[in-house]
Structures are given as structure tokens and as C-alpha cells.
Amino acid sequence: RNLRGFLRAFGSHGGRPLFGTGQAGSYKGPSASALSQWRGKGRSPSVRTHTTGGPTEPPPAVDGLPRFPNMTAPGMLRFLDYSGTVAFAMSGTVTAGLAGMDALGATIVGTITAVGGGTIRGFMLAKPAFWMEEIEYLYLCIGTSLGTFFFWPTVGPKLGLSVDEPWMEAWDAWGVAAFCVIGAQNGIRAGVPPIAAAACGMMTATFGGMIRDVLCNRPARILHSYSDMYATTAFLGGGAYVAAARAGVPVPARIAAGLGTALALRAAAYTQGIGLPTYGKPPSFGLVPRP
């Protein structure tokens, strides 16, 4: 009783209790103005409830994702993010293994291929590497890379598999589409100009593969004419998401716009051999049908 009187006497400021709680002893969470302020900074405040005895996941920002997949549109995008991470780690590991790297080298290259683009994006936005906080991405990359390194030489030849198979290209395209949307979301939350937000999408989707090619002593796929259009599809997919966001359309429609644009352009580039012009090509964007 004396402690309660002490807290009432000294635990207030301006008539508002510093130690007060809502009804039934539960914290009701941040106000709408606080949420708006935090979302403007690209993050959401932590929300804890004392009625359940433990923390709950903070609500994602408007242009953000939940921590783990669920059945909402952002939650499904998180699932595609995981799937793309596996696809990129697998292709990076195989490329490194064929270049003569050992298990450690191939695992490092596979991991860089999967998370390198997002890491560079975070550096450009003055943010820490996302996989330092969301450690599940590191586990996913290491597990996929090690499994691929040891099983691909045996399983791949028996099944006639290669990283250039159409199914692998399709899986990669879904990863590019998901990554470019997520990168654009990060750019929007950071408050950068629209074209920079679209560039964040391109970085997230393609810069990991560029580092892979450099480490494996290959021409960077996104910079050379031997490849069909790749980074451009990611940039335009991210741009479609940014445009939809600026138009104020609902979040599921924004995600669909970004994914659909990147997938459609990547499919057209792969099947029709569409590439950007170079000094050795006419200015027709290299429309050469794939045999």
C-alpha cells in the first residue's frame, strides 16, 4: 500500500502517470501518430502485450514485410523472398564449384549471390546488413550452399541438370521479381527519390550475381552482351512497384504490379533473346529469337 502511494505521488508528470497502464493491465500499443512517425522512418515500433506474457511481432510498415511468410500478399512475398534466396544460393554454389572452388569458397560465393545485393542496398541506404538481424537468411544460404555443393555433382549429371535449365531460369526469374520489389520497398521506406528506389530494387536483385561473376572470373552477366536483358527487368519491376505506390493503390496491387512487370519482361527476354544494344548490335534492342 505504501509503495502504491509512492508511485502515485512520484510516478506522474503533468497529471499523466508515468507508470500507468491501460485497462486490465495491458499496453494498448502506439498511437496512430506514433505509428505514422515511425513508418516515415522506415520502421515500426515494437508492440508488446502483457496480457499474453510475451512479445508479439510488430506490425509491418505499409511498404514492408512480416518477419515470416503468411497468407497475406506481403507474407507471400516473404515466401518468394525465401525461395529466391535458395535459388540464388544454389546457382552461385554451382557456378563457384565449376570454377574450381572448394566447399568453403563455394559456400561463400553462394551466400554472396543470395544476399549480396540486399547487403549493398543496405550500405547505400546507410543501414546494417539485413541478414545480421534476420539470421534465418544466413542459415538458409549456408544450408543450401553446402547441400548443393555435395549433392549436385552426383544428382545433377544423373538427372541431366544444369543451371541453364528452363526450370532453373524460371525459378531465378521469380527470385529476381521478388527481390526487386523488396528492394524498392526498402528504398521507399528510406525516403529516397523514386528513381533511386527503383535502383534499390535492381541492386537487390542483381548485384549479388555480379559479385559472383567477378569472384568466379567470369564476365558480369548484367553488364555484358552475351546475356539477355536481366538487370533492366529488375529496374523496371522495381519502378512499377514505386509507380503503383505513388499512385496510392493498395499494397497487394503494388506487389502484383512489380512482380508481374519483372516476370513478364524476364520471360520475354529469355524466350526471345532480348538484350540491350551494344556497339556490335543495331539499335533494335537485339531482338533475336532464342533457338
Side-chain angles (χ1 to χ4, degrees), residues 15 22 30 34 45 52 60 69 75 87 128 135 144 196 198 203 205 221 230 233 254 257 270 275 289:
T52 58
I135 196 66
T144 299
M203 290 182 218
R221 178 181 186 179
Y230 194 87
T233 65
R254 302 179 194 183
Y270 177 76

Side-chain angles (χ1 to χ4, degrees), residues 13 42 67 93 153 158 236 248:
H13 179 70
R67 178 68 183 267
T93 301
K158 289 183 178 180
L236 295 176

Side-chain angles (χ1 to χ4, degrees), residues 95-199:
T95 301
L98 294 176
M101 294 190 186
D102 60 14
L104 176 61
T107 300
I108 292 174
V109 171
T111 300
I112 289 174
T113 305
V115 302
T119 303
I120 294 176
R121 176 206 68 221
F123 173 77
M124 298 296 289
L125 297 177
K127 295 183 179 297
F130 69 95
W131 46 268
M132 290 288 190
E133 298 176 351
E134 299 174 88
I135 196 66
E136 60 268 18
Y137 283 93
L138 194 59
Y139 296 149
L140 202 59
C141 291
I142 293 175
T144 299
S145 297
L146 286 175
T148 301
F149 182 84
F150 287 108
F151 287 101
W152 186 272
T154 303
V155 177
K158 289 183 178 180
L159 300 179
L161 301 178
S162 73
V163 291
D164 296 325
E165 291 286 329
W167 67 269
M168 192 68 185
E169 290 287 346
W171 193 5
D172 180 89
W174 277 102
V176 168
F179 282 18
C180 76
V181 169
I182 293 170
Q185 288 181 331
N186 278 266
I188 290 173
R189 294 201 309 274
V192 301
I195 191 170

Side-chain angles (χ1 to χ4, degrees), residues 4-158:
R4 186 181 304 171
F6 175 82
L7 293 177
R8 286 178 178 174
F10 295 95
S12 61
H13 179 70
R16 293 169 298 175
L18 295 177
F19 304 99
T21 59
Q23 294 182 0
S26 63
Y27 173 54
K28 294 185 177 181
S31 64
S33 60
L35 280 173
S36 176
Q37 181 181 1
W38 278 77
R39 285 172 178 169
K41 296 180 180 179
R43 54 188 177 182
S44 298
S46 298
V47 178
R48 294 179 180 270
T49 173
H50 298 286
T51 56
T52 58
T56 60
E57 182 183 348
V62 173
D63 291 292
L65 300 179
R67 178 68 183 267
F68 299 106
N70 56 44
M71 295 308 295
T72 64
M76 294 303 294
L77 181 59
R78 177 68 77 182
F79 172 79
L80 292 176
D81 186 26
Y82 286 174
S83 175
T85 299
V86 171
F88 281 30
M90 183 182 296
S91 67
T93 301
V94 173
T95 301
L98 294 176
M101 294 190 186
D102 60 14
L104 176 61
T107 300
I108 292 174
V109 171
T111 300
I112 289 174
T113 305
V115 302
T119 303
I120 294 176
R121 176 206 68 221
F123 173 77
M124 298 296 289
L125 297 177
K127 295 183 179 297
F130 69 95
W131 46 268
M132 290 288 190
E133 298 176 351
E134 299 174 88
I135 196 66
E136 60 268 18
Y137 283 93
L138 194 59
Y139 296 149
L140 202 59
C141 291
I142 293 175
T144 299
S145 297
L146 286 175
T148 301
F149 182 84
F150 287 108
F151 287 101
W152 186 272
T154 303
V155 177
K158 289 183 178 180

